Amino acid sequence: MVGKEDARILRTKKLIEETTIGLLTTQPEFSITTLLGRAQVTRGTFYKYYRNKEHLISEVNNSLLVAFMAQIQGQFHLAKMIAAVSDRAAFYNAVLNLHHDSIYFTTLMSRMRTQMQTQLSVITDDELRRRQIFQWEIVTGGFWALIAKWLVENMNLAQTELLAEFVEILRINTTGWAQTGLALFNFERLDKK
């Protein structure tokens, strides 16, 4: 019986969290009453799992952050990042273009910077590390700007075409990557072997 109960709890929490993502996308100032009506969950059930709306949003943001960061562990694989954004396009459009849930994007960038700094921690030359951090910031900023535009334009390019556009914008030359911030990124398509 415990296993079935756990599955029900997981389903209920997933339903509440998915409904919350939808509301953050369309109505960021939603009320608990609106959430409960959409999710068809009782107030008691909600408060069994979450202290309040802020706690719920924090849990939702953390789940989304963990899912996104899982795609880029070890290296910033741009095709995987594009795919992760595409899977939650409405949410990322609301975050990047409508400025809903700004805490999410701030936290995402913080986690990405932490990963970048971990990767660069092996570099002992302070000047080289500083240049690579600067270059990482430029590439990452350009990536998110391009993603925001792509989302505003209803994802008018296929993911592979978007990646190719980004590579073209950067005019990437693979010569000498080891000494640049580009070494932190993977520019390969997902379907490439």
Side-chain angles (χ1 to χ4, degrees), residues 148-161:
K149 178 119 174 78
W150 180 58
L151 292 169
V152 160
E153 294 177 351
N154 296 313
M155 300 164 54
N156 59 343
L157 295 173
Q159 292 178 32
T160 55
E161 292 172 6

Side-chain angles (χ1 to χ4, degrees), residues 12 16 21 49-50 54 111 120-121 125-126 136 143 150 154 171 173 180:
T12 300
I16 292 169
I21 292 168
Y49 307 120
Y50 307 100
E54 290 74 25
R111 289 188 186 183
L120 293 179
S121 66
D125 180 336
D126 289 340
W136 180 89
F143 172 81
W150 180 58
N154 296 313
R171 298 195 192 290
N173 179 349
T180 73

Side-chain angles (χ1 to χ4, degrees), residues 40-132:
Q40 297 183 339
V41 173
T42 67
R43 193 168 291 277
T45 298
F46 174 83
Y47 285 109
K48 185 187 293 187
Y49 307 120
Y50 307 100
R51 291 185 300 274
N52 52 37
K53 179 181 170 183
E54 290 74 25
H55 178 231
L56 168 65
I57 291 172
S58 175
E59 292 290 314
V60 166
N61 281 347
N62 191 56
S63 293
L64 291 168
L65 288 163
V66 166
F68 186 87
M69 294 303 292
Q71 301 301 311
I72 59 172
Q73 287 305 310
Q75 192 174 37
F76 296 93
H77 196 293
L78 295 176
K80 287 182 180 181
M81 291 167 66
I82 292 169
V85 168
S86 180
D87 289 344
R88 295 278 186 186
F91 175 77
Y92 280 97
N93 184 56
V95 168
L96 295 170
N97 294 312
L98 304 175
H99 310 292
H100 297 180
D101 198 3
S102 60
I103 292 170
Y104 174 80
F105 191 68
T106 301
T107 307
L108 173 62
M109 288 304 299
S110 175
R111 289 188 186 183
M112 289 177 67
R113 282 186 184 101
T114 298
Q115 179 179 324
M116 173 265 300
Q117 289 168 348
T118 300
Q119 288 177 253
L120 293 179
S121 66
V122 298
I123 299 174
T124 56
D125 180 336
D126 289 340
E127 179 63 22
L128 177 59
R129 186 174 46 252
R130 185 191 63 72
R131 277 197 326 262
Q132 289 199 17

